Structure formats: C-alpha cells, structure tokens
Amino acid sequence: MMITTTTTLTESAEPSAPPPTPTPMQGPARRRRLGHPGEPYAFIAPTAVLMLVLMIVPIVLVIGYSFMDNVITKKNPEFVGIENFVEVLTDGVFATALGNTLFFTIVSVVAHLLLGLGFSMLLNSPLVSRASRAVFRVIYILPWLFTAAVIAVLWRMLLNPNGVVNYLLSSDVEWLSSPSLALGAVTFINIWAGYPFFMISLLAGLQGIPADLYEAATVDGANGWQRFRNVTLPQLRPIIISMTLLDLIWTSQQFALIWMTTGGGPIHVTEMLSTFTYKLAFSRYEFALASTSAVIILLLSMVLAFFYVRHQRARD
Amino acid sequence: MSKEAHDRRRTLRVLGTSVAAVALFATAGCSASSDSGSGDGDVVLEFAQWWEPELPDGAFRELMDEFEAENPGITVELLSGPYASTKEQLFAGAAAGTMSDVVGLDGAWVSDFANQGAIADLTELMGESDYDDSELASQIQVDGATYMIPVVNFVYPMFTNDDLLAQAGVAAAPTNRTEFTAAANAVAGLGEDTSGWILPLSLEAPNGIQNDVMSWVWATGGSMLDDDGQPDVTNSDVTSAVEYVKGLWDDGAIAPGAFTMKEQDKVEEFTNGRVGMMIDSLAHINLIRESNPDLNFSISALPADDGFDGERGIPYASWGIGVADSSEHKAEAFKLVEFLMSEKTNSKLSSIANAFPGNTESVPDFVAEDELFATAFEIYQNGYPANEFTGLPVAEQLMRLFDEQFQVLLDGGQSVDEMLEKTQEAWLAEF
C-alpha cells in the first residue's frame, strides 16, 4: 500500500510530464519498483504473528475453556457444552455483579463526560490567561497520571474512618465499608480518576472549533447557551461519541481500583464482573467458569465495540 | 542467478527475518523451563519463593551459598517475588508444567497443587533419601502423604496496648472471653477514636476469618471440621465464637471500617495507638517498634472460653516448602529441603525471619535476646499450632465464603444460625 501511494504521489507531482509510453517493459519495471509480490506480506508478518500469538490464540483458548468442565487444574478436562454458561448466568452473584457494573459504568461515564466538558470549557475560556491555563491544566490532569494502585491507596487513606475526609467533615462515616455507601464511594473514586482523559480530548476539540462559527452565531443574536448548544456541542459530537464508547468499554472492565479498595465487598455491594471473574479463577481455581464469565464479558464488550467501530467508519 | 530467483530469495530472507524476530520477541518474556541442567553437568535448582524479599538483604542468598558449598555440583537460582506474584507464578507454572524445582508454599495451596499433581509426594522422597522426619514440627498431608513441610511458623498471639488498657482501668491482659469483652468495651468507652479490638474482614484478603475469627474457636480447643475432616461450622464451638464476636460488634467495641479492612490496616491502627487489642503475627513486632517506638505493648495468649483449662490452639501461618512433580532433579531438590530443615539452618532462618522453627530441635536467637519473643515462644510451646485451613481445598475461597456470610450477619441481615448454615452449605459445595 505504501509503495502504491508513493507511486501515485510521484505521478501527481509531475502533472505536466507526458504520460509514459506503454511498452512491453512497463509490467516488469513496475514490479521492480513495487518489489516482489510477497514483500508486503513480509512487512505485515510481524504484526500478524503478534496478533495471532497475543490475541487470537488466547481468545480462542478461553472460548474453548468455557465449554470444558474444568481446565488447568484438571489433567483431562471434558467437553460440557453450555453447562458453564448456565451455571454462571444463573448465579445470583453474577446478576449482582452485572447490576453493579452497569451502575458503576454508566454513572462514571456520564460524570466523566460532564466534568470533562465543564473543565475543558473553563480551560478554553478566553478569560483565563495562558499561564493560569497551563497551571490548571496540570492540576486537573493529575488524577489521570496516577496508577490504579496509587489511587486506591490514596483514597483508602482519605476515606478511612479515621481519615482526612471524616476529619474535615467532623463525621465518622465508613465510606468504603458501609454496604449502603461503598458502591457510591468507589464510583466517585473512579470518576475522580478518569475525568481528565475526557477533559484533554474535549479541550483539543474545543481548540479546533473555528472562531468564525461563534462570530457568526453572535451576529445572528445567539446567546451563550445557544452558542454552546448549536455550535460547541455539534462540533464536539464526534469526539464525545468516540470517547463515551471507549470509556464505556474501559470502565466496564475496571478491576484494579475495585479490587484494591473494597475487594468487591462489603458483602457483594461492589462486586463487578471483573472481580467476580477474578475470584472464580484465582480464589476458586475454577478456570473454566472464569473463562465462561470472561466470554460473557467479551460478548458484552463486543456490543459496545460494534457501535464504536460503526461510528468510526461513519466518520471516515 | 535469475532475477526471479533473486527476488524469491530476498522475499524469503525478509519473511524469515521478520518471523524470527517476532518469535524471539514473543518468547522473550517467557520464563525458562524448569529443566535447569547446565552444560558442565552441574544441576541448577530453581527455587521460587516470596521469602527472600521479606528477609534482610542478602541473608537468604547467604544460606543458599552455604548449601552450594556443602553440595558441590548443585547451584540454586532464587526466583523471588512478593507473595501474591509467587502464588500466581506457581499456579501458572503448575498449569504449564514448568513449576520451579523447589517451591515456597502456603498451606492454603497444598490441597489444590497436590490434587493437580503439580507437587511431589515428599513421603516418597523422604523414603528414597532415608530421611528421618522425627525432628519435623509438622507436615502438611493430603490423603496420608506429605506434600509440604512448614519451614518456619509465624504465630498469631494477642497484642495489647498496655497504656490504653491502663487508661481504661484494665490492669492485665484478658485471659478469657468475659475479661476480653470487659477490656474491649472499657477501651472503646475512652472515646477519642479508640476501639477495644480490631477485626479485618476485607474480601480481597479474607485471612481475617482464619486469624481473627476462627482463632477464637481454636484457642478453646475447638474445631471447624468433623472427625472426617469435612466442614462442621454449625457445631457449638464455632457457633459460640461467632456469637461472641457478634456480641463485641453489637457493643461497638470493634474498630470501624472492618468490612474492607486488611491485615496491614489492622497493624497500622494498632501501631497508631487507636486500638486496645489485636490478634496478629509475631512477625510484625519489629515493624510496630520501628513505626512507633513509644508504643507500650505486650503479647499474650489468645483468651479462651471462660473456665477452659485445656491446651490452647494458637493460629499460625507458615513458610512451607515443596518439590515440583515436574522437576527433573527431585533428589537434589530434596537435598535443599533437608538443608533448610536441618537444626542449624532452621535456627538461622527462623532467627532472621523472626519466626518459630519448623525443626523441633532448633532454637532461634531472638528467644534469648528479646523478652516479647521469649513470651511468644513460651505461648507457642504451651499450646499447639492450630490452623485448620492449612491443607483444605480452595482454603482462601472457604475464608471468603465465611466472610461474606459473616458480613451479612454483622450487618443485621441474618441470624447466627442462618449464617452458619449457609456457610456450611457453601463449604460443602467446595469439598
């Protein structure tokens, strides 16, 4: 593909040159420039092999495991059809985990979007000087720079019954240990950790909106809200859709933060599909059931991935 | 050479180089197989464990150097990592048949590895080596065969913050449940964020069930298993202990945040002087002293049920050792096991680990040098090491299942009997 493109550019770079005279030598000469027909395959071979080894093979293996009675811990696992799927789907904890994951994901993504949009508009405001903008940009992006382990430790300390938050509020709330508050608390932590990604992407989008559009809207008598609704939002729409779909996929798979803050508890109030799957594999050593749960998550993620790819195609 | 042949060779070269590069890249991260013989006929033993990072720098390597000096022709390659990484590495190795020759084991993994055929029958290896096992303090067996030998043991006595207890008018560490309840309530009554007792129940690491809940059962000579080794959590011993802990919870004597609290949080709260009493590993004595040199604390045996005068079970955790069934050097691997379990080496290792020896003849140095350790050693010798989770299938999952039901109980969602019946049912399903 690259060579073909180069050829086209070379041809178009000399529009006034006479077209080459067709001769019997044109075919081999063209082949010489393009190299051997097998050469493109050699170029994509490393990527293809990597994809095969690191993606296709593990996915196929996991799908295969989900139809066996138990793998890895059993020397001769047997095919059991959809038995594992029935067991996982009828497990009450799985239903709880699915509900929690939906709540956690939807609330997180909506909050990421609103906070990201809000902060990006503040940073993009002409009222803010360039120096202040740079300083605030660093401050706002900080949560995104921390790894999940650091975020978990930080918030566990802040939300400890004897921690800073309770000290400031003069309260003794068990933020992460109370069954009625834990899911909200981990969702809040995830919102705090993830909004900068939206903010940076939307800020880049805002900076790319031509000033003419706002000027034209102002001339037409549009007020601030109307300019936001009819100029800013439509211009940001492609970014918002892409980011929302990606964030839905990522957040629904969040594991480290949940595991290191609550471990899926108290009871099962913060159990997510990811922690449910992890426990099946590394606590019960039921690798076939864990594979089944992973396949179900894969299918759910593929629905989101389908919409993402379709949106990207429509953009292209 | 024709043009076509030249092109073909060039393509093959490019393809070959690409595939070789990718294959090299893809396999670079994979660990070496357990076949570890070197070219000159010497045997290289891989030893995967989490012990080295927990010991003073270079101390464990020194022991291995001693072993190598005593056994020319055998070299030990230490594969060290944190506990959790070692666990995952061993499970991956067991599945792939590439487990290291010698492995550090937790009692909770033994049943699964043994049933999987990943670790070797040590009874057989002992027989082949004419090894006298009379000095071993304990052996972890599955179906009558030994699969793990505890190298050193970390016992879990009761720690008391003596200043807090004195402030609350408690003159001596409690010895029975009634005294413990009174002391815990008195300390909790001091206010200022102080609590009588601390109980970590995190579902991420549910070992609080073993160390902080079941310890009450074992301290009174009770059991959570029946005579056949099957779950029996509805018996009177467990019921009484669970009712007792629930009572402390209802009294408000337990530190807040229990449902997501982990062992390290427990130690931190005690070290900061906010908790009157905790059940914890002896291994944390130095950590507590370093973190808060002013903390005035002591250790004592776990309180037993009122009127109990039998031998008390004291919870413990072990650094166990085993040999991979896939090892091609089992005889050499067992020599390393023998070396670590010898009186001299075991004394040294238990001294640097601040743990109690797995060899009954060994005596660690710290027992003579440190009053707290001397007390602990006395408690250890007066009771018996008790940890019924060791050797059970999916031991961690059993703790987690108990923990889940226990949290529902403490949250007021069910009665003690309902909790124990549900736990019994869940445990039976795992056996």
Side-chain angles (χ1 to χ4, degrees):
Chain A
M1 282 299 284
M2 285 170 66
I3 295 167
T4 311
T5 309
T6 309
T7 310
T8 311
L9 285 173
T10 310
E11 283 169 358
S12 61
E14 296 166 0
S16 56
T21 314
T23 65
M25 289 301 289
Q26 191 191 23
R30 189 177 168 83
R31 264 206 305 279
R32 262 200 305 280
R33 273 191 290 161
L34 290 174
H36 190 273
E39 206 159 8
Y41 297 105
F43 280 112
I44 63 162
T47 311
V49 174
L50 272 180
M51 297 239 331
L52 185 76
V53 172
L54 300 178
M55 284 185 68
I56 309 293
V57 171
I59 289 174
V60 169
L61 275 176
V62 167
I63 293 173
Y65 287 167
S66 67
F67 294 103
M68 310 301 277
D69 64 344
N70 200 7
V71 286
I72 298 178
T73 54
K74 201 171 171 186
K75 277 189 175 166
N76 300 305
E78 289 164 13
F79 180 79
V80 290
I82 60 163
E83 214 172 86
N84 291 331
F85 286 87
V86 173
E87 187 172 342
V88 170
L89 290 170
T90 53
D91 188 332
V93 181
F94 178 81
T96 308
L98 184 62
N100 291 342
T101 307
L102 279 174
F103 172 88
F104 178 76
T105 305
I106 292 169
V107 174
S108 292
V109 172
V110 170
H112 283 163
L113 172 61
L114 295 178
L115 282 177
L117 187 58
F119 283 132
S120 62
M121 290 188 68
L122 286 175
L123 287 175
N124 197 44
S125 165
L127 300 172
V128 183
S129 71
R130 286 188 67 169
S132 311
R133 192 177 303 177
V135 170
F136 279 109
R137 196 180 293 188
V138 171
I139 293 172
Y140 286 152
I141 206 170
L142 269 179
W144 200 47
L145 302 181
F146 296 131
T147 61
V150 174
I151 293 167
V153 171
L154 184 73
W155 279 97
R156 276 181 67 90
M157 281 160 55
L158 288 171
L159 297 178
N160 187 289
N162 295 311
V164 176
V165 172
N166 275 346
Y167 173 76
L168 293 174
L169 298 175
S170 300
S171 62
D172 56 357
V173 180
E174 297 181 39
W175 298 100
L176 290 168
S177 301
S178 160
S180 55
L181 294 174
L183 183 58
V186 290
T187 308
F188 175 83
I189 298 170
N190 189 57
I191 291 168
W192 179 85
Y195 79 83
F197 182 55
F198 260 86
M199 185 190 77
I200 291 298
S201 306
L202 291 174
L203 183 59
L206 283 172
Q207 287 169 343
I209 300 176
D212 317 3
L213 294 177
Y214 289 110
E215 283 168 18
T218 310
V219 169
D220 287 345
N223 60 24
W225 167 248
Q226 286 167 327
R227 284 200 298 275
F228 172 74
R229 210 179 132 210
N230 298 309
V231 178
T232 309
L233 276 185
Q235 289 292 311
L236 290 180
R237 195 168 164 267
I239 300 176
I240 289 175
I241 294 176
S242 300
M243 298 295 302
T244 304
L245 287 169
L246 281 177
D247 201 28
L248 278 170
I249 296 170
W250 292 337
T251 309
S252 64
Q253 293 169 0
Q254 176 63 269
F255 167 74
L257 188 66
I258 304 290
W259 189 246
M260 285 185 275
T261 49
T262 62
I267 311 169
H268 288 297
V269 297
T270 63
E271 196 79 84
M272 303 286 158
L273 291 175
S274 54
T275 54
F276 174 78
T277 308
Y278 180 87
K279 285 175 185 173
L280 282 176
F282 294 105
S283 181
R284 289 177 58 186
Y285 312 127
E286 293 276 5
F287 291 98
L289 287 178
S291 300
T292 309
S293 177
V295 169
I296 295 169
I297 296 172
L298 176 71
L299 292 173
L300 294 173
S301 300
M302 278 175 71
V303 174
L304 295 171
F306 168 77
F307 285 112
Y308 176 72
V309 171
R310 203 172 74 162
H311 174 253
Q312 291 300 101
R313 274 195 179 172
R315 276 184 71 184
D316 293 342
Chain B
M1 185 188 294
S2 71
K3 176 85 186 65
E4 284 75 15
H6 178 78
D7 281 352
R8 211 163 35 241
R9 278 197 164 192
R10 196 162 63 122
T11 305
L12 281 174
R13 213 165 41 233
V14 174
L15 261 172
T17 311
S18 311
V19 172
V22 170
L24 186 68
F25 178 72
T27 53
C30 301
S31 61
S33 83
S34 60
D35 177 18
S36 35
S38 67
D40 54 8
D42 286 355
V43 169
V44 179
L45 290 178
E46 274 186 8
F47 184 8
Q49 35 62 48
W50 67 96
W51 313 345
E52 190 185 22
E54 298 193 13
L55 294 170
D57 272 351
F60 197 57
R61 186 64 250 176
E62 268 177 36
L63 287 180
M64 294 303 107
D65 292 343
E66 272 180 39
F67 171 74
E68 289 173 8
E70 285 177 19
N71 294 277
I74 306 179
T75 309
V76 180
E77 189 188 324
L78 291 175
L79 300 180
S80 308
Y83 173 87
S85 311
T86 306
K87 177 185 167 188
E88 280 167 19
Q89 186 192 338
L90 293 186
F91 273 92
T98 57
M99 208 181 223
S100 298
D101 301 280
V102 185
V103 286
L105 293 172
D106 185 318
W109 314 335
V110 176
S111 170
D112 302 292
F113 281 148
N115 290 334
Q116 203 178 335
I119 49 177
D121 178 348
L122 295 182
T123 309
E124 206 176 295
L125 291 180
M126 285 190 247
E128 285 169 12
S129 310
D130 289 328
Y131 179 74
D132 174 15
D133 65 353
S134 60
E135 288 184 358
L136 297 181
S138 55
Q139 301 180 41
I140 306 305
Q141 301 191 320
V142 177
D143 298 331
T146 299
Y147 285 91
M148 176 188 121
I149 300 173
V151 181
V152 292
N153 298 320
F154 297 89
V155 296
Y156 281 66
M158 182 176 68
F159 287 60
T160 47
N161 179 329
D162 296 337
D163 288 343
L164 265 187
L165 256 61
Q167 240 179 293
V170 180
T175 57
N176 61 39
R177 289 186 186 176
T178 304
E179 287 177 15
F180 187 89
T181 306
N185 285 329
V187 174
L190 290 173
E192 296 175 355
D193 297 332
T194 56
S195 301
W197 184 45
I198 190 156
L199 173 64
L201 292 175
S202 166
L203 288 170
E204 184 207 333
N207 58 354
I209 295 301
Q210 169 188 277
N211 303 328
D212 303 80
V213 179
M214 280 304 171
S215 50
W216 291 96
V217 178
W218 301 325
T220 307
S223 173
M224 59 182 204
L225 304 174
D226 64 16
D227 293 340
D228 300 325
Q230 293 295 302
D232 186 19
V233 293
T234 50
N235 68 33
S236 59
D237 297 328
V238 182
T239 307
S240 153
V242 168
E243 278 170 351
Y244 179 69
V245 175
K246 173 81 164 76
L248 289 170
W249 177 271
D250 292 340
D251 289 347
I254 296 177
F259 286 179
T260 49
M261 190 180 283
K262 301 179 200 176
E263 187 168 284
Q264 61 263 40
D265 303 318
K266 173 177 78 173
V267 179
E268 197 180 299
E269 288 293 295
F270 183 83
T271 307
N272 289 336
R274 284 195 285 262
V275 175
M277 295 169 284
M278 74 164 174
I279 300 164
D280 191 39
S281 169
L282 207 59
H284 291 144
I285 284 187
N286 287 339
L287 176 74
I288 296 169
R289 281 175 173 161
E290 280 164 23
S291 307
N292 187 358
D294 298 330
L295 191 75
N296 178 22
F297 69 98
S298 55
I299 56 171
S300 42
L302 232 72
D305 207 355
D306 297 18
F308 177 78
D309 58 359
E311 206 179 15
R312 296 182 189 198
I314 180 163
Y316 76 103
S318 298
W319 285 358
I321 198 164
V323 173
D325 196 52
S326 57
S327 172
E328 291 176 6
H329 312 295
K330 286 200 188 78
E332 290 83 354
F334 192 73
K335 278 188 181 173
L336 180 58
V337 176
E338 266 188 86
F339 170 77
L340 286 169
M341 295 313 300
S342 67
E343 185 186 338
K344 186 178 135 202
T345 312
N346 206 243
S347 295
K348 261 191 206 175
L349 183 57
S350 52
S351 298
I352 55 175
N354 284 332
F356 291 146
N359 182 317
T360 49
E361 301 297 314
S362 304
V363 179
D365 298 341
F366 56 75
V367 169
E369 294 163 2
D370 191 304
E371 197 188 329
L372 280 182
F373 283 111
T375 312
F377 200 52
E378 201 181 316
I379 296 169
Y380 181 64
Q381 286 176 320
N382 287 339
Y384 62 94
N387 187 343
E388 293 186 299
F389 284 102
T390 299
L392 292 189
V394 288
E396 189 185 293
Q397 177 65 6
L398 297 180
M399 294 177 212
R400 186 170 283 120
L401 290 168
F402 192 105
D403 199 352
E404 286 168 1
Q405 296 302 328
F406 195 50
Q407 290 195 7
V408 178
L409 167 74
L410 297 181
D411 196 43
Q414 61 188 350
S415 68
V416 171
D417 289 340
E418 283 171 341
M419 180 246 146
L420 292 172
E421 273 159 26
K422 283 183 189 169
T423 306
Q424 172 76 5
E425 198 180 320
W427 277 24
L428 279 172
E430 299 291 341
F431 267 66

